Amino acid sequence: MLSVLVVVALLAGETFSRANPVSIPEVCDLQPAVDTKEVCHYGKTYDRCGNHVCMKGPGEVCGGKYGRYGICGEGLMCSNCNRCQGCSYKTFVCWSDSNCLW
């Protein structure tokens, strides 16, 4: 019985060590802090470095690894083809990613 518990504990520890995500590369140290002064039609949010960035609107490119292409505004979601789809709560403009093959 004790050997079964030891094996279970070892397997659980091995599984837990593999489940930890890889850390995000530290690119923020390489980029200066920027506060955008542009008008954001779909809202503002923060990027992973803590800078203000404009949210994306209907049909605009979004997503990517670590969200590098942007985050969709309220009422929109990023499609499998990396385009914001849905209806914007700010401008009431809608867009459907009907050409997406995924």
Side-chain angles (χ1 to χ4, degrees):
M1 181 65 172
L2 181 62
S3 61
V4 171
L5 290 175
V6 170
V7 170
V8 169
L10 289 173
L11 289 174
E14 180 68 23
T15 302
F16 180 74
S17 67
R18 290 183 186 173
N20 290 335
V22 178
S23 63
I24 296 174
E26 292 299 324
V27 299
C28 298
D29 297 335
L30 304 174
Q31 300 173 351
V34 176
D35 188 17
T36 180
K37 302 289 187 217
E38 64 185 301
V39 175
C40 297
H41 298 287
Y42 303 102
K44 279 182 145 180
T45 189
Y46 294 97
D47 65 6
R48 65 183 181 158
C49 296
N51 299 320
H52 276 107
V53 293
C54 291
M55 297 177 92
K56 302 293 183 148
E60 293 183 331
V61 177
C62 59
K65 190 173 184 178
Y66 307 121
R68 73 174 61 171
Y69 301 125
I71 298 171
C72 297
E74 292 182 32
L76 301 167
M77 62 183 240
C78 199
S79 72
N80 291 338
C81 294
N82 294 343
R83 298 281 180 179
C84 292
Q85 68 177 1
C87 295
S88 170
Y89 292 161
K90 299 252 182 196
T91 62
F92 303 106
V93 174
C94 298
W95 192 79
S96 175
D97 200 357
S98 57
N99 293 328
C100 183
L101 298 176
W102 289 59

